[in-house]
Amino acid sequence: MVFRKLPGVSASGMGLRLSQKFVFLLFLSGLVTLCFGALFFLPDSVRLKRIFLSKTEIQPVTVGSGSENDVREHLKRPKEQGMTSAKGETGTKGKSLSRKPSVSHEATEERLAGGKAQEDLTLSRSKTESASERATSSDRGANPDTFSYQKFRGCLLKAPLGRDNGKPGDPQTNERREKVKEMMKFAWDNYKRYAWGKNELRPLTRNGHIGNMFGGLRGASIIDSLDTLYIMGLMEEYNDAKEWVQTNLDLNSNGEASLFEVNIRYVGGLLSAYYLTGEELFKNKAMELGEKLLPAFNTPTGIPRGVINLGSGTSWSWGWASAGSSILAEFGTLHLEFVHLTELSNNPVYTEKVMNIRKLLNKIEKPHGLYPNFLSPVSGNWVQHHVSIGGLGDSFYEYLIKSYLMSDKTDDDAKRMYYGALEAIEANLVQKSPGGLTYMAEWRGGILDHKMGHLACFSGGMIGIGADDGAPEKRQHYLDLAAEITHTCHESYTRSATKLGPEAFRFDGGAEATATRLSDRYYILRPEVIESYMYMWRLTHDPKYREWGWEAVEALELHCRVESGFSGIRDVYTMTVSHDNMQQSFFLSETLKYLYLLFSDDDLLPLEDWVFNTEAHPLPIIRKSCLQDETTQDKTVSK
């Protein structure tokens, strides 16, 4: 390089100045490099790293600080490592954090005899099942630290849909099952015709209903119906639902959503659809939505608030909740879904959130061993001493026993909490009427209210499925108690003109299992009584439960079926019914599914492999030892 000589400057002087400049620039660049490098070691440098590093290089931060930003950054990792976006675009898979040992997917032996079950398949179901086959085949080359659908299927004891899709051998029972299937198709077809994409159908006015429960999310009836359509073999309808999820389910809403309802209906419905079909679409949507629920836990105690804006992440308590309380049945009905979100994402944050709720509940004092319905998410103290096994409390208890069962009976904390609560319930709430009916009263600071809600009628099934794991000397007692409560709930149906049960019934003033207030006389297609019939049938095979279920089918057909769907009624005690013009999404998810299972063989979604969330979405039992067994072979069977 040739330098032009400047006037008055010698060549040697010029070289000296250039050397000084070079040294200065070298020092300056080193200083800048050192400063920027230091930023990467600061405690909260994740945002800066995201500016300079590609997405696949972002490292997760430590969970546990409780900071909203930390939680969101921690969750970026599974989302950015191959999750499908709302538009269906797949990112690049990277390494993920795991405490599991490496697992080989090359074993060649089938694990259990249940894998030999074969069913006659329709062409449409075969096409749907190809997604499951793709999922299992792709697992063979996947990172062993990620969830393997292949290994999950290999750990099931039986084929999910049974040897013949649960078809009963008895012709009358099969005819009744086919009738329930026709009811589902009728309800679905009218929803699709008049309310497609909305949350529920209004069958009288033939239009859709959105409501304000889901924070701008749409398609509640679609998500709630996915697994029901699939297990009934309504494959054309199922494929329409799947296509809607793929092209129209927009999770970027910005409204007030119920944490509880979004979790049990949307997250639960998507998880169930994934486990039954192997469609990655459902898994990815469930994890994306689960991430949006986490900011609700950003409270001083970690007890989530009941309402969340899915867009901004801000959360608050229901305006009607006493002193800004969180509701027992809401924050206590997250465990099943959140544990499965951890299982699928390999991200412990979901399980940590729900286990923190357990820790707080174990720490605080419980009046007479009971769990009141209102708890402050700020102080962690009970706000009112109102206890109910019906609304506000119900599914908290359900999720304790189901958490134990879903853990393959390893969650001893859930077991202890459940049987402790059941003992307190028996001592304080379980009552016997003068007419010999066993019922669950409500407790208000030591004063009993002799009322039982329709929602509390799930407890017959709950106590039944927990009977075998109680103290040996109490197992028959629990099964008897479950049968007595189920009988009482059946009585609430038979004592009405329509043979459908009221929203709440009382045992005072001479009344037994009867609604004495006009405001309690309505029926909104609820499933809880039928739910207990289904469980008690599976536990005892007493034919009366199927007869009671058929009575409900006939009553639904006679009083709730209208020209364009099914509708709740305002007064179960009059034959001149007045319809409420609402086909609830849980009618498709729960009521019709439980009826279908009631008239099916027990190997359709066998209880040895599946638990049902409180929206009746089947979730598989997690067999950790099997999932970590290197010799577990894919025994995926045709469904």
Side-chain angles (χ1 to χ4, degrees), residues 77 201 347 611:
R77 185 175 178 83
L201 164 68
N347 190 331
V611 297

Side-chain angles (χ1 to χ4, degrees), residues 463-485:
I463 296 169
I465 61 172
D468 275 354
D469 295 294
E473 67 276 10
K474 300 197 75 172
R475 289 174 184 174
Q476 187 59 47
H477 164 72
Y478 286 141
L479 197 58
D480 292 342
L481 177 61
E484 291 171 18
I485 291 172

